Amino acid sequence: MIKIAFADDHQALIDGVKMLLENTPNFEFIDAAHNGVEMLKLLENNKIDVVITDLKMPDMDGFALTQKIKENFSEIKVIVFSMFDQPEAVKKASDAGADAYVLKTSSLDVLVLAIHKIVAGNTFYDQDISRDLKQATEFIPNSLLSSTEQKILGLIANGKTSEEIADVQNCAISTVYTHRKNMSAKLKLKGKNELLKYAVENKYNFS
């Protein structure tokens, strides 16, 4: 039996995945956690073969959880199960040690296939993202940005206002406005909300 645990902060999704796994031959659903911290505690007390994890969770996200699992429970296989389809997110998960990456928009049958693949010693990437994975290693425009600009871009992606960014950076709000203007120019972005859109779409490239 393949023993499986699932980390996600949405109970409805946990219930759905649990039902799927419990009705799949040779799969045993052991337990679920709502964040990375809970999952690590679960792994200390249970024999688990495969961990399925979301990326965006409170307390400890899926990237950090994957890295911790590979550092402390190297025999456990990890599947990232996420809505994020950006190549940068996939590469960051892979760099953390993930064995598979499956999109939540895919059929749950894909998740079952991924489990079989990684238990057999293979890696697995959802077909909807694998064709774009190479983009993550290509030249990325925000490499033009300074470290301060990249930090501000990350704060923008996390929904911070210019006033909040000024407080975090301990600078005048006019300085934040200048950084935003310079970033838009470097990235050739036009329009009031284009910088925010770019920040959100490329969030995992500079976080």
Side-chain angles (χ1 to χ4, degrees), residues 71-111:
E71 288 174 354
N72 299 291
F73 308 93
S74 59
E75 73 282 1
I76 295 177
K77 303 294 186 180
V78 178
I79 297 175
V80 168
F81 189 43
S82 175
M83 290 292 295
F84 295 113
D85 61 355
Q86 298 95 332
E88 295 81 15
V90 181
K91 184 176 185 300
K92 187 170 181 179
S94 178
D95 289 345
D99 300 283
Y101 198 109
V102 177
L103 294 176
K104 288 182 176 179
T105 52
S106 296
S107 164
L108 287 177
D109 291 339
V110 177
L111 188 60

Side-chain angles (χ1 to χ4, degrees), residues 8 34 59 76-77 91 94 98 101 106 118 125 148 162 165 167 189 191 198 202:
D8 197 285
H34 293 94
D59 299 326
I76 295 177
K77 303 294 186 180
K91 184 176 185 300
S94 178
Y101 198 109
S106 296
I118 63 173
Y125 293 97
T148 298
S162 293
I165 293 171
D167 185 55
L189 301 174
Y198 177 88
N202 293 275

Side-chain angles (χ1 to χ4, degrees), residues 156-181:
I156 292 172
N158 287 322
K160 298 293 185 183
T161 65
S162 293
E163 290 82 359
E164 291 170 329
I165 293 171
D167 185 55
V168 171
Q169 292 292 102
N170 193 28
C171 67
I173 190 170
S174 59
T175 301
V176 177
Y177 290 145
T178 298
H179 280 305
R180 296 181 75 125
K181 181 179 179 180

Side-chain angles (χ1 to χ4, degrees), residues 21-51:
L21 299 179
E22 288 181 338
N23 287 282
T24 301
N26 299 319
F27 285 4
E28 182 179 357
F29 184 85
I30 300 300
D31 207 346
H34 293 94
N35 57 61
V37 174
E38 289 183 7
M39 177 56 73
L40 290 176
K41 291 179 180 177
L42 189 158
L43 296 180
E44 291 175 357
N45 299 305
N46 295 274
K47 175 66 174 71
I48 302 295
D49 300 306
V50 176
V51 168

